[in-house]
Amino acid sequence: QVQLVESGGGLVQAGGSLRLSCAASGRTFSSYIRGWFRQAPRKEREFVAAINWNEGRTYYADSVKGRFTISRDNAKKTMYLQMNSLTPEDTAVYYCAGRVGGLSYHEVEYDYWGQGTQVTVSS
């Protein structure tokens, strides 16, 4: 099993930055994707970004491309999401997720989830 724990959410003004962290414990896999999803009030959960844990290849939703950066620290088993130029539309609960296998943009295909961390961007 894999346990994921997010941290780093909070309240920030529009134009500001936040960095989220996702720490993992448990077993590791030879082919593994870890990603970020978010869910705004009254909206479905959506894909934000993902990283191939072994190769380091990254993937982004169009809405965050150029503003958000996903990265990892293998030694710490920790993933990060650096969020810059935040807007009120980025307000959501952000979830860390992991799946064994290749990239997927669909939440149903992720096997492991964190509890979520709230990000609120004020205008």
Side-chain angles (χ1 to χ4, degrees):
Q1 288 294 327
V2 176
Q3 292 78 42
L4 303 174
V5 178
E6 305 97 333
S7 62
L11 173 64
V12 64
Q13 288 188 332
S17 298
L18 279 176
R19 189 176 82 153
L20 306 183
S21 299
C22 171
S25 60
R27 63 178 301 184
T28 58
F29 301 94
S30 60
S31 178
Y32 184 57
I33 294 288
R34 206 186 298 184
W36 292 97
F37 287 76
R38 67 185 182 186
Q39 188 166 22
R42 298 173 298 281
K43 291 188 177 181
E44 294 185 353
R45 195 177 301 186
E46 64 175 0
F47 173 84
V48 175
I51 187 165
N52 181 304
W53 200 256
N54 296 321
E55 300 175 358
R57 189 173 299 181
T58 58
Y59 310 87
Y60 296 95
D62 288 342
S63 59
V64 306
K65 203 171 293 183
R67 299 188 299 124
F68 290 11
T69 302
I70 190 171
S71 61
R72 76 198 192 298
D73 183 326
N74 279 332
K76 296 181 179 179
K77 295 186 179 180
T78 299
M79 175 177 69
Y80 305 97
L81 186 68
Q82 177 66 43
M83 305 186 295
N84 299 329
S85 302
L86 286 162
T87 74
E89 289 67 39
D90 295 314
T91 295
V93 177
Y94 284 71
Y95 296 90
C96 171
R99 73 181 304 271
V100 179
L103 172 69
S104 173
Y105 297 100
H106 306 293
E107 60 168 312
V108 296
E109 296 183 354
Y110 282 74
D111 307 299
Y112 307 103
W113 290 87
Q115 81 287 354
T117 185
Q118 176 71 46
V119 171
T120 303
V121 184
S122 63
S123 57

